[in-house]
PDB file of all heavy atoms in Angstrom:
ATOM      1  N   GLY V 183      -3.210 -20.607  -0.301  1.00 70.00           N
ATOM      2  CA  GLY V 183      -3.468 -20.228   1.087  1.00 70.00           C
ATOM      3  C   GLY V 183      -2.393 -20.648   2.058  1.00 70.00           C
ATOM      4  O   GLY V 183      -1.216 -20.722   1.735  1.00 70.00           O
ATOM      5  N   ILE V 184      -2.836 -20.954   3.289  1.00 72.00           N
ATOM      6  CA  ILE V 184      -1.885 -21.283   4.359  1.00 72.00           C
ATOM      7  C   ILE V 184      -1.504 -22.754   4.370  1.00 72.00           C
ATOM      8  O   ILE V 184      -0.638 -23.159   5.131  1.00 72.00           O
ATOM      9  CB  ILE V 184      -2.457 -20.876   5.739  1.00 72.00           C
ATOM     10  CG1 ILE V 184      -3.778 -21.604   6.007  1.00 72.00           C
ATOM     11  CG2 ILE V 184      -2.639 -19.377   5.825  1.00 72.00           C
ATOM     12  CD1 ILE V 184      -4.314 -21.410   7.409  1.00 72.00           C
ATOM     13  N   THR V 185      -2.134 -23.558   3.533  1.00 73.00           N
ATOM     14  CA  THR V 185      -1.837 -24.990   3.528  1.00 73.00           C
ATOM     15  C   THR V 185      -0.470 -25.297   2.940  1.00 73.00           C
ATOM     16  O   THR V 185       0.126 -26.318   3.263  1.00 73.00           O
ATOM     17  CB  THR V 185      -2.891 -25.769   2.712  1.00 73.00           C
ATOM     18  OG1 THR V 185      -2.819 -25.330   1.349  1.00 73.00           O
ATOM     19  CG2 THR V 185      -4.285 -25.549   3.267  1.00 73.00           C
ATOM     20  N   GLY V 186       0.004 -24.413   2.061  1.00 72.00           N
ATOM     21  CA  GLY V 186       1.287 -24.652   1.410  1.00 72.00           C
ATOM     22  C   GLY V 186       1.191 -25.545   0.200  1.00 72.00           C
ATOM     23  O   GLY V 186       2.175 -25.765  -0.496  1.00 72.00           O
ATOM     24  N   LEU V 187      -0.003 -26.085  -0.062  1.00 80.00           N
ATOM     25  CA  LEU V 187      -0.181 -26.906  -1.253  1.00 80.00           C
ATOM     26  C   LEU V 187      -0.090 -26.010  -2.477  1.00 80.00           C
ATOM     27  O   LEU V 187      -0.445 -24.836  -2.437  1.00 80.00           O
ATOM     28  CB  LEU V 187      -1.538 -27.619  -1.223  1.00 80.00           C
ATOM     29  CG  LEU V 187      -1.708 -28.652  -0.108  1.00 80.00           C
ATOM     30  CD1 LEU V 187      -3.126 -29.206  -0.133  1.00 80.00           C
ATOM     31  CD2 LEU V 187      -0.678 -29.761  -0.242  1.00 80.00           C
ATOM     32  N   ALA V 188       0.392 -26.571  -3.565  1.00 83.00           N
ATOM     33  CA  ALA V 188       0.588 -25.770  -4.772  1.00 83.00           C
ATOM     34  C   ALA V 188      -0.120 -26.405  -5.943  1.00 83.00           C
ATOM     35  O   ALA V 188      -0.458 -27.596  -5.930  1.00 83.00           O
ATOM     36  CB  ALA V 188       2.082 -25.633  -5.054  1.00 83.00           C
ATOM     37  N   ARG V 189      -0.349 -25.578  -6.953  1.00 83.00           N
ATOM     38  CA  ARG V 189      -0.921 -26.042  -8.207  1.00 83.00           C
ATOM     39  C   ARG V 189      -0.210 -25.306  -9.332  1.00 83.00           C
ATOM     40  O   ARG V 189       0.503 -24.338  -9.100  1.00 83.00           O
ATOM     41  CB  ARG V 189      -2.426 -25.793  -8.257  1.00 83.00           C
ATOM     42  CG  ARG V 189      -2.815 -24.346  -8.189  1.00 83.00           C
ATOM     43  CD  ARG V 189      -4.350 -24.192  -8.184  1.00 83.00           C
ATOM     44  NE  ARG V 189      -4.761 -22.900  -7.709  1.00 83.00           N
ATOM     45  CZ  ARG V 189      -4.738 -21.770  -8.410  1.00 83.00           C
ATOM     46  NH1 ARG V 189      -4.309 -21.790  -9.649  1.00 83.00           N
ATOM     47  NH2 ARG V 189      -5.137 -20.632  -7.896  1.00 83.00           N
ATOM     48  N   VAL V 190      -0.410 -25.775 -10.543  1.00 85.00           N
ATOM     49  CA  VAL V 190       0.166 -25.116 -11.710  1.00 85.00           C
ATOM     50  C   VAL V 190      -0.970 -24.368 -12.403  1.00 85.00           C
ATOM     51  O   VAL V 190      -1.978 -24.975 -12.772  1.00 85.00           O
ATOM     52  CB  VAL V 190       0.820 -26.124 -12.674  1.00 85.00           C
ATOM     53  CG1 VAL V 190       1.323 -25.419 -13.921  1.00 85.00           C
ATOM     54  CG2 VAL V 190       1.952 -26.860 -11.968  1.00 85.00           C
ATOM     55  N   GLU V 191      -0.807 -23.066 -12.540  1.00 85.00           N
ATOM     56  CA  GLU V 191      -1.815 -22.216 -13.181  1.00 85.00           C
ATOM     57  C   GLU V 191      -1.326 -21.847 -14.573  1.00 85.00           C
ATOM     58  O   GLU V 191      -0.227 -21.305 -14.738  1.00 85.00           O
ATOM     59  CB  GLU V 191      -2.027 -20.942 -12.352  1.00 85.00           C
ATOM     60  CG  GLU V 191      -2.939 -19.922 -12.982  1.00 85.00           C
ATOM     61  CD  GLU V 191      -4.413 -20.319 -12.964  1.00 85.00           C
ATOM     62  OE1 GLU V 191      -4.832 -21.075 -12.073  1.00 85.00           O
ATOM     63  OE2 GLU V 191      -5.137 -19.861 -13.863  1.00 85.00           O
ATOM     64  N   LEU V 192      -2.123 -22.154 -15.572  1.00 84.00           N
ATOM     65  CA  LEU V 192      -1.819 -21.764 -16.948  1.00 84.00           C
ATOM     66  C   LEU V 192      -2.517 -20.438 -17.219  1.00 84.00           C
ATOM     67  O   LEU V 192      -3.714 -20.295 -16.960  1.00 84.00           O
ATOM     68  CB  LEU V 192      -2.299 -22.830 -17.934  1.00 84.00           C
ATOM     69  CG  LEU V 192      -1.684 -24.219 -17.753  1.00 84.00           C
ATOM     70  CD1 LEU V 192      -2.281 -25.192 -18.762  1.00 84.00           C
ATOM     71  CD2 LEU V 192      -0.176 -24.170 -17.872  1.00 84.00           C
ATOM     72  N   THR V 193      -1.751 -19.470 -17.699  1.00 83.00           N
ATOM     73  CA  THR V 193      -2.307 -18.144 -17.970  1.00 83.00           C
ATOM     74  C   THR V 193      -1.905 -17.693 -19.357  1.00 83.00           C
ATOM     75  O   THR V 193      -1.005 -18.259 -19.976  1.00 83.00           O
ATOM     76  CB  THR V 193      -1.808 -17.096 -16.947  1.00 83.00           C
ATOM     77  OG1 THR V 193      -0.394 -17.030 -17.020  1.00 83.00           O
ATOM     78  CG2 THR V 193      -2.223 -17.448 -15.536  1.00 83.00           C
ATOM     79  N   GLY V 194      -2.546 -16.632 -19.796  1.00 79.00           N
ATOM     80  CA  GLY V 194      -2.228 -16.090 -21.115  1.00 79.00           C
ATOM     81  C   GLY V 194      -2.909 -16.906 -22.180  1.00 79.00           C
ATOM     82  O   GLY V 194      -3.907 -17.583 -21.948  1.00 79.00           O
ATOM     83  N   GLY V 195      -2.393 -16.831 -23.344  1.00 76.00           N
ATOM     84  CA  GLY V 195      -2.986 -17.559 -24.456  1.00 76.00           C
ATOM     85  C   GLY V 195      -3.986 -16.687 -25.187  1.00 76.00           C
ATOM     86  O   GLY V 195      -5.169 -16.734 -24.887  1.00 76.00           O
ATOM     87  N   SER V 196      -3.494 -15.890 -26.101  1.00 82.00           N
ATOM     88  CA  SER V 196      -4.379 -15.008 -26.865  1.00 82.00           C
ATOM     89  C   SER V 196      -4.990 -15.763 -28.040  1.00 82.00           C
ATOM     90  O   SER V 196      -4.460 -16.780 -28.498  1.00 82.00           O
ATOM     91  CB  SER V 196      -3.600 -13.793 -27.361  1.00 82.00           C
ATOM     92  OG  SER V 196      -2.588 -14.195 -28.266  1.00 82.00           O
ATOM     93  N   ARG V 197      -6.098 -15.253 -28.548  1.00 84.00           N
ATOM     94  CA  ARG V 197      -6.762 -15.882 -29.696  1.00 84.00           C
ATOM     95  C   ARG V 197      -5.871 -15.909 -30.927  1.00 84.00           C
ATOM     96  O   ARG V 197      -5.947 -16.823 -31.733  1.00 84.00           O
ATOM     97  CB  ARG V 197      -8.030 -15.117 -30.042  1.00 84.00           C
ATOM     98  CG  ARG V 197      -9.112 -15.286 -29.052  1.00 84.00           C
ATOM     99  CD  ARG V 197     -10.342 -14.535 -29.506  1.00 84.00           C
ATOM    100  NE  ARG V 197     -11.296 -14.494 -28.411  1.00 84.00           N
ATOM    101  CZ  ARG V 197     -12.399 -13.819 -28.440  1.00 84.00           C
ATOM    102  NH1 ARG V 197     -12.712 -13.118 -29.512  1.00 84.00           N
ATOM    103  NH2 ARG V 197     -13.216 -13.834 -27.419  1.00 84.00           N
ATOM    104  N   ALA V 198      -5.034 -14.865 -31.054  1.00 88.00           N
ATOM    105  CA  ALA V 198      -4.193 -14.745 -32.245  1.00 88.00           C
ATOM    106  C   ALA V 198      -3.051 -15.761 -32.261  1.00 88.00           C
ATOM    107  O   ALA V 198      -2.523 -16.088 -33.327  1.00 88.00           O
ATOM    108  CB  ALA V 198      -3.623 -13.334 -32.334  1.00 88.00           C
ATOM    109  N   ALA V 199      -2.659 -16.263 -31.086  1.00 88.00           N
ATOM    110  CA  ALA V 199      -1.537 -17.207 -31.020  1.00 88.00           C
ATOM    111  C   ALA V 199      -1.983 -18.593 -31.466  1.00 88.00           C
ATOM    112  O   ALA V 199      -3.098 -19.021 -31.167  1.00 88.00           O
ATOM    113  CB  ALA V 199      -0.981 -17.266 -29.600  1.00 88.00           C
ATOM    114  N   PRO V 200      -1.097 -19.302 -32.152  1.00 86.00           N
ATOM    115  CA  PRO V 200      -1.466 -20.659 -32.570  1.00 86.00           C
ATOM    116  C   PRO V 200      -1.526 -21.615 -31.375  1.00 86.00           C
ATOM    117  O   PRO V 200      -0.913 -21.384 -30.336  1.00 86.00           O
ATOM    118  CB  PRO V 200      -0.340 -21.061 -33.529  1.00 86.00           C
ATOM    119  CG  PRO V 200       0.747 -20.073 -33.353  1.00 86.00           C
ATOM    120  CD  PRO V 200       0.195 -18.879 -32.652  1.00 86.00           C
ATOM    121  N   ALA V 201      -2.273 -22.674 -31.536  1.00 83.00           N
ATOM    122  CA  ALA V 201      -2.382 -23.698 -30.495  1.00 83.00           C
ATOM    123  C   ALA V 201      -1.025 -24.360 -30.287  1.00 83.00           C
ATOM    124  O   ALA V 201      -0.239 -24.524 -31.229  1.00 83.00           O
ATOM    125  CB  ALA V 201      -3.419 -24.728 -30.890  1.00 83.00           C
ATOM    126  N   LEU V 202      -0.758 -24.736 -29.048  1.00 83.00           N
ATOM    127  CA  LEU V 202       0.491 -25.428 -28.714  1.00 83.00           C
ATOM    128  C   LEU V 202       0.223 -26.931 -28.840  1.00 83.00           C
ATOM    129  O   LEU V 202      -0.568 -27.490 -28.080  1.00 83.00           O
ATOM    130  CB  LEU V 202       0.937 -25.069 -27.299  1.00 83.00           C
ATOM    131  CG  LEU V 202       2.262 -25.632 -26.837  1.00 83.00           C
ATOM    132  CD1 LEU V 202       3.410 -25.027 -27.660  1.00 83.00           C
ATOM    133  CD2 LEU V 202       2.491 -25.331 -25.360  1.00 83.00           C
ATOM    134  N   VAL V 203       0.845 -27.547 -29.808  1.00 83.00           N
ATOM    135  CA  VAL V 203       0.627 -28.988 -30.041  1.00 83.00           C
ATOM    136  C   VAL V 203       1.976 -29.692 -30.131  1.00 83.00           C
ATOM    137  O   VAL V 203       2.977 -29.093 -30.488  1.00 83.00           O
ATOM    138  CB  VAL V 203      -0.187 -29.245 -31.334  1.00 83.00           C
ATOM    139  CG1 VAL V 203      -1.604 -28.727 -31.189  1.00 83.00           C
ATOM    140  CG2 VAL V 203       0.477 -28.627 -32.538  1.00 83.00           C
ATOM    141  N   SER V 204       1.968 -30.963 -29.795  1.00 82.00           N
ATOM    142  CA  SER V 204       3.212 -31.729 -29.894  1.00 82.00           C
ATOM    143  C   SER V 204       3.338 -32.315 -31.292  1.00 82.00           C
ATOM    144  O   SER V 204       2.342 -32.605 -31.961  1.00 82.00           O
ATOM    145  CB  SER V 204       3.247 -32.837 -28.842  1.00 82.00           C
ATOM    146  OG  SER V 204       2.148 -33.685 -28.995  1.00 82.00           O
ATOM    147  N   ALA V 205       4.560 -32.485 -31.712  1.00 83.00           N
ATOM    148  CA  ALA V 205       4.822 -33.119 -33.005  1.00 83.00           C
ATOM    149  C   ALA V 205       4.490 -34.605 -32.876  1.00 83.00           C
ATOM    150  O   ALA V 205       4.718 -35.208 -31.816  1.00 83.00           O
ATOM    151  CB  ALA V 205       6.283 -32.926 -33.392  1.00 83.00           C
ATOM    152  N   PRO V 206       3.953 -35.208 -33.901  1.00 85.00           N
ATOM    153  CA  PRO V 206       3.627 -36.641 -33.832  1.00 85.00           C
ATOM    154  C   PRO V 206       4.860 -37.461 -33.431  1.00 85.00           C
ATOM    155  O   PRO V 206       5.918 -37.332 -34.033  1.00 85.00           O
ATOM    156  CB  PRO V 206       3.171 -36.977 -35.252  1.00 85.00           C
ATOM    157  CG  PRO V 206       2.799 -35.664 -35.882  1.00 85.00           C
ATOM    158  CD  PRO V 206       3.644 -34.636 -35.204  1.00 85.00           C
ATOM    159  N   GLY V 207       4.723 -38.234 -32.368  1.00 85.00           N
ATOM    160  CA  GLY V 207       5.808 -39.089 -31.894  1.00 85.00           C
ATOM    161  C   GLY V 207       6.881 -38.344 -31.118  1.00 85.00           C
ATOM    162  O   GLY V 207       7.828 -38.944 -30.632  1.00 85.00           O
ATOM    163  N   GLY V 208       6.767 -37.028 -30.996  1.00 83.00           N
ATOM    164  CA  GLY V 208       7.777 -36.227 -30.299  1.00 83.00           C
ATOM    165  C   GLY V 208       7.421 -36.031 -28.835  1.00 83.00           C
ATOM    166  O   GLY V 208       6.377 -36.496 -28.360  1.00 83.00           O
ATOM    167  N   PRO V 209       8.299 -35.365 -28.124  1.00 85.00           N
ATOM    168  CA  PRO V 209       8.025 -35.105 -26.701  1.00 85.00           C
ATOM    169  C   PRO V 209       6.875 -34.104 -26.560  1.00 85.00           C
ATOM    170  O   PRO V 209       6.553 -33.382 -27.501  1.00 85.00           O
ATOM    171  CB  PRO V 209       9.336 -34.510 -26.193  1.00 85.00           C
ATOM    172  CG  PRO V 209       9.962 -33.891 -27.399  1.00 85.00           C
ATOM    173  CD  PRO V 209       9.543 -34.746 -28.563  1.00 85.00           C
ATOM    174  N   PRO V 210       6.284 -34.033 -25.386  1.00 87.00           N
ATOM    175  CA  PRO V 210       5.225 -33.053 -25.165  1.00 87.00           C
ATOM    176  C   PRO V 210       5.787 -31.639 -25.382  1.00 87.00           C
ATOM    177  O   PRO V 210       6.960 -31.389 -25.104  1.00 87.00           O
ATOM    178  CB  PRO V 210       4.830 -33.254 -23.703  1.00 87.00           C
ATOM    179  CG  PRO V 210       5.370 -34.579 -23.312  1.00 87.00           C
ATOM    180  CD  PRO V 210       6.549 -34.846 -24.198  1.00 87.00           C
ATOM    181  N   PRO V 211       4.985 -30.726 -25.878  1.00 86.00           N
ATOM    182  CA  PRO V 211       5.481 -29.372 -26.105  1.00 86.00           C
ATOM    183  C   PRO V 211       5.811 -28.686 -24.775  1.00 86.00           C
ATOM    184  O   PRO V 211       5.293 -29.056 -23.727  1.00 86.00           O
ATOM    185  CB  PRO V 211       4.328 -28.671 -26.814  1.00 86.00           C
ATOM    186  CG  PRO V 211       3.115 -29.444 -26.438  1.00 86.00           C
ATOM    187  CD  PRO V 211       3.574 -30.858 -26.222  1.00 86.00           C
ATOM    188  N   LEU V 212       6.678 -27.702 -24.867  1.00 86.00           N
ATOM    189  CA  LEU V 212       7.153 -26.994 -23.682  1.00 86.00           C
ATOM    190  C   LEU V 212       6.338 -25.723 -23.472  1.00 86.00           C
ATOM    191  O   LEU V 212       6.232 -24.879 -24.360  1.00 86.00           O
ATOM    192  CB  LEU V 212       8.638 -26.646 -23.847  1.00 86.00           C
ATOM    193  CG  LEU V 212       9.317 -25.999 -22.655  1.00 86.00           C
ATOM    194  CD1 LEU V 212       9.354 -26.959 -21.469  1.00 86.00           C
ATOM    195  CD2 LEU V 212      10.725 -25.577 -23.021  1.00 86.00           C
ATOM    196  N   ILE V 213       5.765 -25.597 -22.278  1.00 86.00           N
ATOM    197  CA  ILE V 213       5.045 -24.379 -21.884  1.00 86.00           C
ATOM    198  C   ILE V 213       6.031 -23.560 -21.056  1.00 86.00           C
ATOM    199  O   ILE V 213       6.556 -24.050 -20.051  1.00 86.00           O
ATOM    200  CB  ILE V 213       3.795 -24.715 -21.052  1.00 86.00           C
ATOM    201  CG1 ILE V 213       2.835 -25.586 -21.856  1.00 86.00           C
ATOM    202  CG2 ILE V 213       3.117 -23.435 -20.572  1.00 86.00           C
ATOM    203  CD1 ILE V 213       1.654 -26.118 -21.056  1.00 86.00           C
ATOM    204  N   PRO V 214       6.309 -22.321 -21.454  1.00 86.00           N
ATOM    205  CA  PRO V 214       7.249 -21.497 -20.681  1.00 86.00           C
ATOM    206  C   PRO V 214       6.736 -21.265 -19.262  1.00 86.00           C
ATOM    207  O   PRO V 214       5.531 -21.150 -19.045  1.00 86.00           O
ATOM    208  CB  PRO V 214       7.311 -20.180 -21.450  1.00 86.00           C
ATOM    209  CG  PRO V 214       6.650 -20.419 -22.756  1.00 86.00           C
ATOM    210  CD  PRO V 214       5.773 -21.609 -22.609  1.00 86.00           C
ATOM    211  N   SER V 215       7.666 -21.208 -18.307  1.00 88.00           N
ATOM    212  CA  SER V 215       7.260 -20.962 -16.920  1.00 88.00           C
ATOM    213  C   SER V 215       7.406 -19.480 -16.604  1.00 88.00           C
ATOM    214  O   SER V 215       8.336 -18.821 -17.059  1.00 88.00           O
ATOM    215  CB  SER V 215       8.084 -21.804 -15.947  1.00 88.00           C
ATOM    216  OG  SER V 215       9.435 -21.412 -15.984  1.00 88.00           O
TER     217      SER V 215
END
Side-chain angles (χ1 to χ4, degrees):
I184 59 172
T185 63
L187 295 176
R189 62 182 162 78
V190 176
E191 174 73 27
L192 300 178
T193 60
S196 64
R197 289 182 191 173
L202 184 66
V203 293
S204 58
L212 185 65
I213 300 172
S215 65

